[in-house]
Every structure is written in structure tokens, then in C-alpha cells.
Amino acid sequence: LGTPDDAYRYATGDLIEVYSGDPDTGMRTTRIDRPLDFAAVTDHAEWMAEVSLCTTPGSASYDSTGCQIYRGEEESFLAKLLGLKGHRARIAGLLGLTGRRDDVCGEEDEICRAELGAVWRANQEAAERWYDRSADCTFTTFHAWEYSHSPYSTKVHRNVILRNEISPELPISSLETPVEMDLRHQLVDLCNDTDTGCEAIAIPHNPNLSNGQMFRVEYADLPLEEQRREARLRARLEPIVEMMQIKGE
């Protein structure tokens, strides 16, 4: 699916075009077998800016080495060293595995910060376009993003779902916030415990690919009372967990 609008169009039962996977065949059409009642586009906060910059001709970073790696025009040393191929190699080269690339994001990441804001606003605008706020309420959209922490190639990911259209200025990324405890603290500081009406939950995502890391007690070394506070906050923000997805269950 190419855009949030495509995703919502598909979710509501419209016919859309998707890539067939075969260069000779090109595009094909598809339709969901049963329209959904609600949906959210949970794009990776870590990659929203870079992917947009690297796929938009004329952008501030389009001709950078990092973007050439992402588009498959050049292979990074790190990808070669780790034996990565295809999309994983392009992402590894684009992000440098540990952070954002200066040639793509600029000094102090100012280019990527601005682009992230633009992509996030576009995502939110699409959600608002497709939300049926009439009395029929045939389809509900949620403003959302994915926090994609991947230590040692595991997936300690969370889909952050907002109750309404009120949100933090930018989605919280694991590149800037690599500790899950800090994600929860930022959610309450920037959203749930403000007087703006913002409210978020974080749904553990891909737990079957987390190598047991999703449910570890990450605050076990803290003093007992701090452990209790962290556990209460985790229970408050993570009341449910994803059980099934296209990758397994």
C-alpha cells in the first residue's frame, strides 16, 4: 500500500492497486473480503522522515549517499559486513544501524525533524479524511504510529494508538528514546498527563519475534518502590497485547 489514504481505502472495501511482486506483471488490483469497522496506519516513527526524503525527487536529501543506499543504488559497508540483503540492507545503510545519518538528516537532525513533522501531519490528515463522524459511524480511524526498538535484531515494538486527534507534536522514535521505560514516561509527559485531552496506549507488537524481550521486567534493578511505580505505569499504558499478525501468532 502506497499511502495512508490507500490503506484506509482498502480497509473500507474500495478496490486499490498494489504491486504484484513481479516486475513483468507490474501492478494488480485487490479488495478486502470484508470491510473493517476501524483501522490505524502505524508507520515506523524511526523511518518516516528518511523514507519520505529519499523517495521524493528534489528533496533536501534526495541525492545523498544515504538515500542512494536506501533506493538500492549503492550498498553500505555495514550491510556488507553483516550480510544483509534487500530492504533490510537499505534500512541498515540509511539509519547506520544505530542512529540517523548526517548526510540525510543534516546537523542535529534538523532536516529529518522537519520532514517527520510534515509526514506525521499528512498521516493525521488522512485519518481525519476517512473518519466517518456522521451519525452512521461506519468507519473509525485512529491517529497512531509504531515505536520500533530492535535490540540485537529482536522486535521490541509497540503500536501507539491515540484516543482522538490530539497528539504530541512528533511521534516518539526508538532512535531518540531507546529505553521502553522512557517511552512510557514521554507518553504521559507529552500526552496523557497534560490538560490537552491527549490520551495514548502502547500495544506490544510482534511479541513472538521479540526473543522473550517484550515482557522482561526492565526496571528490576530499581528500588522496590520505583519498581512498583513503573509497573503501575506499564499496566496503565499497556492494557492489551497483540496476539496475531500476518507474521505469526
Side-chain angles (χ1 to χ4, degrees), residues 43-47 95 97-99 145-160 172-184 203-207 209-211 213-214 216 218 234 238:
D43 200 356
H44 300 272
E46 294 75 16
W47 305 338
L95 295 181
L97 292 184
T98 57
W145 75 85
E146 182 175 328
Y147 167 90
S148 306
H149 188 208
S150 301
Y152 307 108
S153 297
T154 63
K155 295 184 181 296
V156 188
H157 297 183
R158 284 162 174 81
N159 283 320
V160 179
I172 300 167
S173 159
S174 66
L175 294 180
E176 288 75 34
T177 310
V179 178
E180 297 96 85
M181 284 192 300
D182 293 340
L183 167 67
R184 290 190 283 272
I203 303 175
H205 166 57
N206 278 339
L209 298 178
S210 71
N211 195 29
Q213 297 302 300
M214 182 66 77
R216 69 186 178 89
E218 64 213 61
R234 188 170 190 173
E238 299 184 9

Side-chain angles (χ1 to χ4, degrees), residues 69-89:
I69 291 171
Y70 176 74
R71 293 193 300 270
E73 299 163 6
E74 185 172 324
E75 190 174 357
S76 72
F77 172 75
L78 282 172
K80 292 178 181 177
L81 182 66
L82 296 174
L84 300 176
K85 296 181 180 180
H87 182 68
R88 289 183 64 204

